[in-house]
Amino acid sequence: MTEQNTDEHSSKLKSRSDLPFYTIFIAISAIYVLLIVAMLSAETTYTTPDHIWGAFAKPEIRYAIWLSLVSCAITTVLSLWVSVPIGYLMSRHNFWGKTLVDAILDIPIVLPPLVIGLCLLILFQVEVPQIEWVNHVLKSVSGALFGKEIYVAQGDSLDDMIRKMTGLIFSRPIGVTYEIPSVILAQFMVACAFAVRTMRVTFDQIGPRYEQVALTLGCNRGQAFWRVVFPQAYRGLLAAGTLAWARSLGEFGPILVFSGATRMKTEVLPTTVFLELTVGNIEGAVAASLIMVVSALIVLVIARMFGLTRGAAI
């Protein structure tokens, strides 16, 4: 009887002692969640359906929506192509300089977005050195394939050379800086870093034993990866793709510096918000931002419906 009373007293004491702990943690969590809800509610109630439909009626915003969706889709595919091999190699192998490589891969995450855009802008404006044998190869190949020679001229930048090559191939010069490719590249440089981190964690969670068994049964490394490891990584792949798409959709700083904010050319939804604010059209900016919010919510909900769980995230 005494032991039973002691156990009941100990259980009550433990329950009472846990109450302040959970009270503090729940209060902090509730404040943050309510802040997010209040932020979104305030933006939603600020505008009206007429403002939203009016935003859709503008050709500039329709173009920004189209470019945002296309560029985010391309960026997501490119990010997955890159993040899968990098994540696998960083997870499975130890090599000299791995810590340095790991730090380099995280640089796009920690750098201010404007700095990334500035670095890309400088990179494509760097003057290409004139190398005799390189010019000889360029002239020979371009002359043989297209009947017109191209070469590195004095003062040509990397962007100039890309324009020359695309003009020869497509009969229309297509550059990178302040063009649509710069939008995709700016989004890719940031989004891919998050996808790489997600895929590395995913492969870390997949034990190497399955792979080793496949190797002992006669598979080579590639067959073991595609038949055994890759199918187990589908949740992480979905998480990486979702994260890359959502991150691309909200990218602004690198695009503003590297691509500009030209209407009907390099305008995406974040730059639409910026441009509408600069002309004092707050309702248009809110409408464009709501489009981004709804798009991000739809993608996240679909991803979770198809199996994105907490275990697959970072």
Side-chain angles (χ1 to χ4, degrees):
M1 185 70 176
T2 304
E3 292 181 358
Q4 184 176 1
N5 291 336
T6 303
D7 292 341
E8 290 177 358
H9 177 72
S10 176
S11 177
K12 291 179 181 179
L13 184 63
K14 184 177 180 181
S15 300
R16 287 199 299 270
S17 63
D18 288 346
L19 183 61
F21 172 81
Y22 282 112
T23 300
I24 295 173
F25 273 48
I26 291 174
I28 294 173
S29 303
I31 290 172
Y32 182 65
V33 172
L34 289 175
L35 182 61
I36 296 176
V37 173
M39 180 180 64
L40 295 177
S41 300
E43 186 176 37
T44 304
T45 56
Y46 186 87
T47 187
T48 63
D50 291 337
H51 287 145
I52 296 176
W53 289 117
F56 275 112
K58 292 183 178 180
E60 298 89 353
I61 293 184
R62 288 203 303 268
Y63 178 86
I65 294 172
W66 172 83
L67 182 57
S68 296
L69 295 177
V70 172
S71 62
C72 288
I74 296 174
T75 299
T76 301
V77 173
L78 293 176
S79 298
L80 292 178
W81 281 352
V82 174
S83 63
V84 169
I86 294 179
Y88 177 80
L89 292 175
M90 296 297 293
S91 173
R92 287 291 190 266
H93 301 286
N94 293 315
F95 50 87
W96 183 86
K98 181 178 179 179
T99 303
L100 177 60
V101 174
D102 195 27
I104 292 173
L105 291 172
D106 283 340
I107 286 178
I109 296 177
V110 299
L111 272 183
L114 287 173
V115 175
I116 296 176
L118 180 62
C119 292
L120 287 171
L121 182 64
I122 294 173
L123 172 64
F124 281 88
Q125 297 304 315
V126 169
E127 185 176 330
V128 179
Q130 286 184 305
I131 303 175
E132 186 176 350
W133 69 268
V134 173
N135 270 338
H136 178 72
V137 172
L138 283 174
K139 289 179 180 180
S140 301
V141 173
S142 59
L145 294 178
F146 303 101
K148 184 179 179 181
E149 295 182 349
I150 62 171
Y151 58 92
V152 181
Q154 181 68 33
D156 275 353
S157 65
L158 181 59
D159 192 56
D160 292 330
M161 287 306 303
I162 293 174
R163 291 178 186 274
K164 286 183 178 181
M165 292 179 183
T166 54
L168 187 65
I169 297 172
F170 303 110
S171 300
R172 176 178 176 269
I174 302 173
V176 176
T177 307
Y178 302 121
E179 300 282 354
I180 290 179
S182 65
V183 175
I184 298 171
L185 184 57
Q187 292 174 340
F188 169 78
M189 290 304 299
V190 179
C192 187
F194 289 91
V196 167
R197 187 58 53 196
T198 304
M199 291 311 302
R200 179 179 177 178
V201 172
T202 299
F203 290 124
D204 284 341
Q205 294 175 350
I206 300 174
R209 182 182 176 185
Y210 304 102
E211 200 172 355
Q212 296 298 327
V213 171
L215 293 173
T216 59
L217 293 176
C219 290
N220 57 36
R221 182 67 66 175
Q223 290 172 330
F225 174 80
W226 291 112
R227 296 180 182 180
V228 178
V229 179
F230 190 73
Q232 297 183 68
Y234 79 94
R235 290 184 185 273
L237 197 69
L238 182 58
T242 304
L243 189 60
W245 193 92
R247 194 67 185 84
S248 301
L249 182 65
E251 204 57 57
F252 171 68
I255 295 176
L256 181 65
V257 176
F258 187 43
S259 310
T262 307
R263 293 281 196 187
M264 304 296 292
K265 186 177 182 182
T266 58
E267 181 185 4
V268 289
L269 284 173
T271 52
T272 296
V273 175
F274 170 74
L275 292 173
E276 295 296 332
L277 285 174
T278 56
V279 298
N281 185 10
I282 300 178
E283 290 80 7
V286 171
S289 62
L290 281 177
I291 294 171
M292 287 193 292
V293 171
V294 172
S295 301
L297 284 175
I298 291 174
V299 170
L300 292 174
V301 169
I302 291 176
R304 280 161 173 75
M305 288 175 59
F306 281 89
L308 178 59
T309 61
R310 288 177 297 173
I314 297 179

